[in-house]
Amino acid sequence: MTVRYFAGARAAVGRSEEVVPAGRSLDDLTADLARRHGDRLAAVLRVASFLVDGVSCHDRATPLPGGATIDVLPPFAGG
């Protein structure tokens, strides 16, 4: 799976995307990302929205499809 980071998530990780193993839920993925990248990303992940292959994901316990693209979208300021 490919995880793409935007705005504050990109700043917390220091890159715009990374490839991660498939076969887990969004909850599992975000826990793993927080462990690997630290508290700064963990804080962003708590308030972020997620797109799975371009579709908003609300059920964080459902297994993610293999080969999916996960977009991490922190809240954006401005208007």
Side-chain angles (χ1 to χ4, degrees):
M1 294 185 304
T2 300
V3 179
R4 298 190 306 184
Y5 300 105
F6 295 87
R10 182 182 322 176
V13 174
R15 64 179 98 166
S16 61
E17 68 179 49
E18 67 180 307
V19 175
V20 298
R24 51 194 163 164
S25 68
L26 187 57
D27 278 338
D28 295 336
L29 174 63
T30 56
D32 180 52
L33 293 173
R35 274 191 302 276
R36 287 194 290 131
H37 295 291
D39 292 339
R40 188 171 171 200
L41 180 62
V44 172
L45 293 172
R46 282 192 290 275
V47 297
S49 298
F50 300 89
L51 300 180
V52 177
D53 291 332
V55 178
S56 183
C57 180
H58 299 287
D59 184 357
R60 296 172 60 117
T62 299
L64 297 166
T69 297
I70 314 301
D71 293 331
V72 180
L73 305 170
F76 293 93

